[in-house]
């Protein structure tokens, strides 16, 4: 129940942010239950080079849309798979069990067919900064590239969630905004 409440808190923050900013629109929200019912099994290579499969069960998927500043009259879309981490798994397990299959999923035909897009990132929200940096380190160790963004619940509110640099991207020491203001 605690995990479900944190996912709900995140979704409410997303909704509040979209309501507070007339440029942002939540175009789609897919809850974890949809991934449990309609399962996607992805094939991937482990860090050791072995073939493996995993059923993808992120805590959600959401798509944010806003008018493009680069291409007038067009929309910019931002797609995210959500992982809410409340510290119940080991740091190594997060890296081993979520990162290689997550990267493979984002690059797969399964993902493209399910969501009708060929891009996306993981938004990972942790309950503490220490935990966040530990799973960020494991993500980098297991090949997360720049596809994983990390923050804590303490950093999030409706003003900061998208346009404020409160997210740490795997492979970087800088903080980032999920949706750059210049896009």
């Amino acid at each position: 129940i605690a995990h479900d409440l944190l996912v709900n808190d995140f979704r409410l923050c997303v909704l509040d942010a979209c309501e507070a900013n007339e440029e942002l629109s939540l175009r789609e929200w897919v809850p974890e239950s949809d991934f449990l019912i309609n399962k996607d099994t992805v094939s991937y290579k482990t860090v050791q080079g072995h073939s493996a499969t995993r059923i993808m069960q992120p805590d959600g998927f959401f798509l944010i849309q806003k008018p493009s500043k680069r291409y007038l009259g067009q929309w910019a879309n931002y797609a995210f798979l959500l992982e809410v981490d409340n510290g119940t798994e080991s740091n190594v397990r997060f890296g081993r069990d979520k990162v290689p299959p997550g990267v493979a999923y984002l690059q797969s035909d399964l993902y493209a067919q399910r969501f009708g897009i060929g891009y996306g990132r993981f938004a990972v929200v942790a309950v503490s900064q220490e935990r966040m940096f530990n799973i960020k380190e494991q993500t980098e160790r297991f090949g997360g590239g720049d596809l994983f963004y990390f923050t804590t619940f303490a950093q999030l509110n409706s003003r900061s969630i998208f346009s404020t640099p409160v997210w740490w991207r795997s492979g970087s020491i800088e903080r980032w905004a999920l949706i750059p203001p210049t896009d």
Side-chain angles (χ1 to χ4, degrees), residues 8 18 23 36 38 62 94 103 122 149 158 165 174 178 182:
N8 193 54
C18 291
E23 286 193 332
L36 297 173
N38 304 305
F62 60 103
F94 182 93
V103 170
F122 276 87
Y149 285 67
S158 62
E174 297 176 47
L178 276 186
T182 57

Side-chain angles (χ1 to χ4, degrees), residues 43-53 96 100-101 142:
S43 298
Y44 66 98
K45 294 280 185 191
T46 66
V47 173
Q48 295 82 15
H50 300 113
S51 294
T53 59
R96 182 191 65 222
F142 282 90

